[in-house]
Amino acid sequence: AVAAAASSTDAPAHVRAIRVLRAVWAAEGVQGLFRGYSAALCGIASYVVGYFFMYEGVRRALKQTELREYETTSHLLAGGIGGGATAGLATPFDTVKVRMQTQVYATPAHPHPSMLYVWRRTVAEAGSVMLWRGLGARIASNTPSGAIMFAVYETSSRWLTSTTR
């Protein structure tokens, strides 16, 4: 029922999305709608905590160099390093989340395997390296986005602070 609702092309995308939600709800209940949420939450939390910790550490270190004169460059570097370096923290959780959402290890007897179960089965069957599959793409994505986000945030913050005085 879920596959049929998803593959139907006779309606606009938002209508098909609602059909899929209804089909998942009917087949699996609320658990089906939140499949993979625990892994997603752990991944986001580890990324955000690591990102701000890394950004702040790099930013402070750059203040001790000649780059202290170039604030925007320092924020670009610190944000990029923070985003790229912490991508590794979240990648295993993202891998597990996708495997939970695609029901790789779901069975009729165990339709909603836990995050820990999926993690352990993934490592047992494919090795721990599987948890970091896609890390290169994540680093390539998170490095520039982290650099831009922090440079824009810090520049905007500085500008807003200066205009309100």
Side-chain angles (χ1 to χ4, degrees):
V2 175
S7 64
S8 171
T9 58
D10 65 332
H14 70 280
V15 173
R16 291 193 312 266
I18 292 169
R19 286 180 187 164
V20 169
L21 287 171
R22 286 182 180 155
V24 169
W25 182 278
E28 302 177 46
V30 71
Q31 279 187 309
L33 295 177
F34 289 95
R35 183 184 313 113
Y37 186 78
S38 58
L41 186 60
C42 288
I44 291 166
S46 65
Y47 179 77
V48 170
V49 169
Y51 185 28
F52 283 100
F53 181 79
M54 184 68 100
Y55 166 77
E56 197 56 34
V58 172
R59 188 185 66 79
R60 287 181 181 169
L62 290 173
K63 280 188 167 187
Q64 307 304 316
T65 71
E66 306 81 47
L67 287 174
R68 70 180 161 274
E69 302 295 324
Y70 306 98
E71 287 186 7
T72 301
T73 301
S74 293
H75 298 307
L76 282 167
L77 285 171
I81 292 168
T86 57
L89 293 173
T91 298
F93 292 108
D94 194 49
T95 300
V96 170
K97 175 198 70 170
V98 169
R99 293 170 87 72
M100 290 173 77
Q101 290 174 336
T102 57
Q103 297 178 301
V104 172
Y105 299 116
T107 64
H110 196 98
H112 302 286
S114 70
M115 179 179 67
L116 185 59
Y117 179 83
V118 172
W119 186 296
R120 287 178 176 163
R121 287 283 308 268
T122 299
V123 171
E125 291 182 10
S128 59
V129 71
M130 178 62 166
L131 295 173
W132 280 271
R133 189 173 188 180
L135 177 61
R138 181 166 270 214
I139 290 171
S141 167
N142 292 3
T143 298
S145 67
I148 292 166
M149 184 190 80
F150 268 110
V152 169
Y153 169 78
E154 295 287 358
T155 301
S156 300
S157 177
R158 196 170 51 246
W159 179 76
L160 287 169
T161 302
S162 70
T163 60
T164 57
R165 289 184 182 172

